[in-house]
Amino acid sequence: SSGINAEYGQHYYITNNLSTMRILGPKVSNCFFLLSCWGTIMLLLLGIFFQTKSVILLKDIGYDEDRYESAALTCFIAGGIYLVIGVITYWQKVVNDRYSALEPETTTIVF
């Protein structure tokens, strides 16, 4: 179904499908989005450092070449998982922005 919001003078199409389903609230989606961005960047950089056999990681891994490759692959997989979570939370941020545009703004009066 479609609706017209006369107050804003714009057409809004709200359907009960996946693109408009609210799973996370605005604060949780913002928090998860920031954490997933940070996690993706950190794990991808750590994976690159493991893949290039960075000297600073020698204490953690030792001299075993296979452990460097295994650790790099693990970091890339975890970074990919964080990226997927980031995409989902970004989608929730967009959905929350759409819903907040539909809701009338409230004004709090403090005495």
Side-chain angles (χ1 to χ4, degrees), residues 6 8 27 37 47 49 53 56-57 61 63 65 79 84 95 106:
Y8 296 107
K27 291 179 184 176
C37 288
F49 293 147
K53 298 168 186 63
I56 197 73
L57 298 171
I61 297 294
Y63 294 105
E65 296 286 326
V84 169
V95 169
T106 57

Side-chain angles (χ1 to χ4, degrees), residues 38-74:
W38 172 77
T40 301
I41 292 168
M42 185 198 75
L43 286 169
L44 291 179
L45 285 174
L46 192 59
I48 290 170
F49 293 147
F50 275 123
Q51 197 168 30
T52 58
K53 298 168 186 63
S54 179
V55 177
I56 197 73
L57 298 171
L58 186 62
K59 257 185 178 176
D60 298 324
I61 297 294
Y63 294 105
D64 190 7
E65 296 286 326
D66 292 334
R67 291 182 69 192
Y68 272 104
E69 294 298 322
S70 175
L73 181 63
T74 303

Side-chain angles (χ1 to χ4, degrees), residues 4-97:
I4 299 174
N5 189 338
E7 183 179 344
Y8 296 107
Q10 297 175 352
H11 295 275
Y12 294 102
Y13 299 96
I14 301 175
T15 58
N16 292 326
N17 62 15
L18 190 62
S19 67
T20 60
M21 188 168 55
R22 286 174 89 174
I23 299 171
L24 302 172
K27 291 179 184 176
V28 174
S29 62
N30 285 335
C31 178
F32 284 2
F33 182 71
L34 290 175
L35 287 174
S36 64
C37 288
W38 172 77
T40 301
I41 292 168
M42 185 198 75
L43 286 169
L44 291 179
L45 285 174
L46 192 59
I48 290 170
F49 293 147
F50 275 123
Q51 197 168 30
T52 58
K53 298 168 186 63
S54 179
V55 177
I56 197 73
L57 298 171
L58 186 62
K59 257 185 178 176
D60 298 324
I61 297 294
Y63 294 105
D64 190 7
E65 296 286 326
D66 292 334
R67 291 182 69 192
Y68 272 104
E69 294 298 322
S70 175
L73 181 63
T74 303
C75 287
F76 289 140
I77 290 171
I81 292 170
Y82 269 97
L83 184 64
V84 169
I85 292 171
V87 168
I88 292 170
T89 56
Y90 180 74
W91 160 58
Q92 284 297 295
K93 284 171 58 65
V94 170
V95 169
N96 284 322
D97 288 344

